[in-house]
Structures are given as C-alpha cells and as structure tokens.
C-alpha cells in the first residue's frame, strides 16, 4: 500500500504560536486526511512531542517559552520521528543549526500549504523510498534484499532501523539513519548529492541545500569515523559520497 493511502493514520503535531496560521494549516492538512493537533507554547511542546509521539512534527523556530532549536535538541534523544522546521528567517545559519539539532527538513515562511503537504508526505514516505533505492547487490543468501549490513565493528539494520558500533547502539535521528542506510547499502559506489537528495526527499536537488553535508558530518563521529580524515564515509570531490566497504 502506498503511503498516500495511509493518510488517516498519520498524526501531525504543529508547534506554532500564530493561532491563525496554525488554524489554517491544520484545516488544510485535515482536509487531506491527516490527523492534526496544535501546540502554541514552546515549553509545553517538549512534553507533548515526547509523550504523544506524533508521526511528524511541524516545528516553528520562534516560539514563546522555548525556541524551536532548543525543543528539537531536547526531544531528539527520545523522539525519532521526522521534524519539519519552519522559520520566517532566510539565514542559512538557521537551516544548518536546525539540521544539527536534529531537524529532518526546513522550510522558510510564508509556506504554501500544498508545498508543506508535499514535504510532509515526502518525509513520511522516506523510509520506504530509501529501502527501494538501496543497492540490490547487497543481498542475503536466499536472494532477498539484505536488512542487516555488517562492516567490521559497525552493524546497520534496516528492519530495526538501528545501528551499532562495537555492540553499542548508535544514537541516530530518523534522517541520519536513512542516510546511513542509503550509503552503506550502496557501499563501494559513489552516490552524488543529487542521487542522495532524490532518494531521501523525493524531490529534485536544487544545488543549494546543505542538509546532506550536515548530516554526513554528524554521522561520521557516531560511526567511529574521523571527521577530519574520514575512512568510512569519504567525500569524493565534485562527485559525492562513498561508503567504504572495508574501512
């Protein structure tokens, strides 16, 4: 079943203090089959995200009580769902900070409802998309696509959506795991930023988005790679990224 057919099961939490904007957004998303709730206070948002575990969070950057970056940082240890961050600012620094705090996607206001809906659907569809794009050359003995990949002391398991280094669980956001799985399941092959972006986001790469680079930089130390002289995830100049089979 396609993800779009499961809209009625998707629970979205909008964290936005502009009541009119939040109301209009809620109405539009609900008209497209989503189950939507709204929280206007940043202080309350942390508890709601952690306790309610919505399928996706639309998180405004500027909020009363606690800002979006702080909320994102606090919930990430216990919330692995996608976080789509919104802001009225156009500064690239905000985007980078949001991604570093664990946001999965980023949109600048004013947000067009149809574009927002498309981004939400893309985020919720991503897990299936990543597995679909995984290199079929990595296979199990019975010929089916492998769900667990082992690279010496690093293990990546797509069915459990977990990774381990030296038998210790690695703390990865949903977006970081998807990128790690995509790269590791294509070990030995260079993937361009365009290929990675399309596989993870379902939309064409605009040549400007820095989210892939930010996530690679966050993943490297988590999997025991040297951020300065990486041996596991290599940057191939003018081409993209290469996950080395034997690092």
């Amino acid at each position: 079943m396609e993800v779009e057919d499961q809209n009625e099961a998707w629970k979205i939490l909008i964290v936005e203090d502009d009541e009119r904007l939040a109301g209009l957004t809620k109405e539009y998303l609900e008209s497209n089959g989503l189950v939507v709730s709204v929280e206007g206070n940043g202080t309350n948002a942390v508890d709601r995200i952690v306790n309610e575990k919505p399928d996706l969070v639309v998180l405004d950057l500027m909020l009363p009580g606690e800002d979006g970056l702080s909320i994102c940082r606090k919930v990430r240890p216990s919330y692995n769902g996608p976080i789509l961050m919104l802001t009225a600012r156009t500064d690239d620094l905000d985007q980078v900070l949001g991604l570093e705090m664990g946001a999965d996607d980023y949109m600048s206001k004013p947000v067009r409802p149809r574009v927002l809906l498309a981004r939400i659907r893309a985020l919720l569809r991503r897990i299936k998309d990543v597995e679909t794009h995984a290199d079929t050359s990595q296979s199990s003995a019975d010929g089916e696509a492998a769900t667990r990949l082992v690279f010496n002391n690093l293990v990546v398991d797509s069915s459990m959506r977990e990774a381990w280094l030296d038998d210790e669980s690695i703390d990865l956001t949903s977006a970081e795991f998807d990128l790690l799985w995509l790269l590791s399941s294509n070990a030995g092959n260079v993937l361009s930023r365009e290929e990675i972006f399309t596989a993870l986001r379902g939309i064409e790469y605009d040549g400007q988005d820095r989210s892939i680079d930010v996530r690679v930089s966050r993943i490297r130390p988590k999997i025991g790679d040297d951020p300065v002289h990486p041996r596991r995830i290599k940057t191939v100049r003018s081409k993209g990224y290469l996950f080395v089979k034997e690092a």
Side-chain angles (χ1 to χ4, degrees), residues 109-174:
K109 293 180 177 179
V111 175
R112 288 177 292 174
R114 293 181 66 179
V115 177
L116 176 62
L117 177 62
R119 290 286 188 92
I120 290 173
R121 284 176 169 169
L123 285 168
L124 293 170
R125 189 175 57 235
R126 186 177 56 206
I127 295 173
K128 183 176 181 179
D129 285 349
V130 170
E131 293 181 354
T132 300
H133 283 85
D135 184 8
T136 56
S137 64
Q138 295 280 355
S139 59
S140 58
D142 60 5
E144 296 180 354
T147 60
R148 174 169 288 206
L149 304 176
V150 180
F151 305 93
N152 298 323
N153 62 337
L154 174 66
V155 179
V156 187
D157 192 307
S158 67
S159 61
M160 299 180 66
R161 293 187 58 77
E162 287 190 50
W164 298 267
L165 181 67
D166 294 323
D167 297 324
E168 293 290 332
S169 180
I170 302 173
D171 182 17
L172 295 167
T173 67
S174 178

Side-chain angles (χ1 to χ4, degrees), residues 47-230:
D47 288 337
R48 289 197 61 179
I49 293 170
V50 172
N51 295 327
E52 297 178 15
K53 294 286 194 298
D55 295 305
L56 181 143
V57 176
V58 178
L59 178 62
D60 189 31
L61 181 62
M62 302 302 293
L63 294 162
E66 193 150 12
D67 65 79
L69 292 176
S70 177
I71 293 170
C72 196
R73 176 178 55 81
K74 287 184 176 181
V75 303
R76 266 314 180 200
S78 54
Y79 176 71
N80 293 321
I83 295 178
L84 174 57
M85 189 166 284
L86 306 180
T87 180
R89 300 177 182 176
T90 58
D91 190 348
D92 285 346
L93 179 59
D94 284 338
Q95 178 180 355
V96 173
L97 287 173
L99 295 170
E100 288 181 344
M101 290 298 112
D104 297 88
D105 202 355
Y106 189 96
M107 292 184 70
S108 297
K109 293 180 177 179
V111 175
R112 288 177 292 174
R114 293 181 66 179
V115 177
L116 176 62
L117 177 62
R119 290 286 188 92
I120 290 173
R121 284 176 169 169
L123 285 168
L124 293 170
R125 189 175 57 235
R126 186 177 56 206
I127 295 173
K128 183 176 181 179
D129 285 349
V130 170
E131 293 181 354
T132 300
H133 283 85
D135 184 8
T136 56
S137 64
Q138 295 280 355
S139 59
S140 58
D142 60 5
E144 296 180 354
T147 60
R148 174 169 288 206
L149 304 176
V150 180
F151 305 93
N152 298 323
N153 62 337
L154 174 66
V155 179
V156 187
D157 192 307
S158 67
S159 61
M160 299 180 66
R161 293 187 58 77
E162 287 190 50
W164 298 267
L165 181 67
D166 294 323
D167 297 324
E168 293 290 332
S169 180
I170 302 173
D171 182 17
L172 295 167
T173 67
S174 178
E176 289 169 355
F177 178 85
D178 290 336
L179 177 54
L180 176 59
W181 175 255
L182 181 64
L183 292 171
S184 61
S185 63
N186 285 279
N189 299 315
V190 177
L191 294 182
S192 68
R193 287 177 177 80
E194 290 80 3
E195 290 173 318
I196 296 171
F197 197 84
T198 301
L200 296 180
R201 299 277 291 277
I203 56 179
E204 292 186 4
Y205 180 58
D206 61 7
Q208 303 296 321
D209 193 290
R210 301 171 62 187
S211 60
I212 302 301
D213 302 313
V214 172
R215 290 194 183 108
V216 168
S217 67
R218 285 178 55 83
I219 290 171
R220 277 173 172 153
K222 292 184 179 183
I223 62 173
D225 211 355
D226 184 344
V228 179
H229 302 289

Side-chain angles (χ1 to χ4, degrees), residues 7-13 26 29-30 33-37:
N7 281 355
E8 66 275 10
W10 295 348
K11 296 179 181 179
I12 312 298
L13 175 63
K26 180 178 187 292
L29 295 180
E30 287 182 335
L34 302 173
V35 178
V36 183
S37 56

Side-chain angles (χ1 to χ4, degrees), residues 190 193 234-242:
V190 177
R193 287 177 177 80
K234 289 184 174 292
T235 301
V236 182
R237 188 181 297 275
S238 302
K239 291 186 177 181
Y241 290 104
L242 169 68

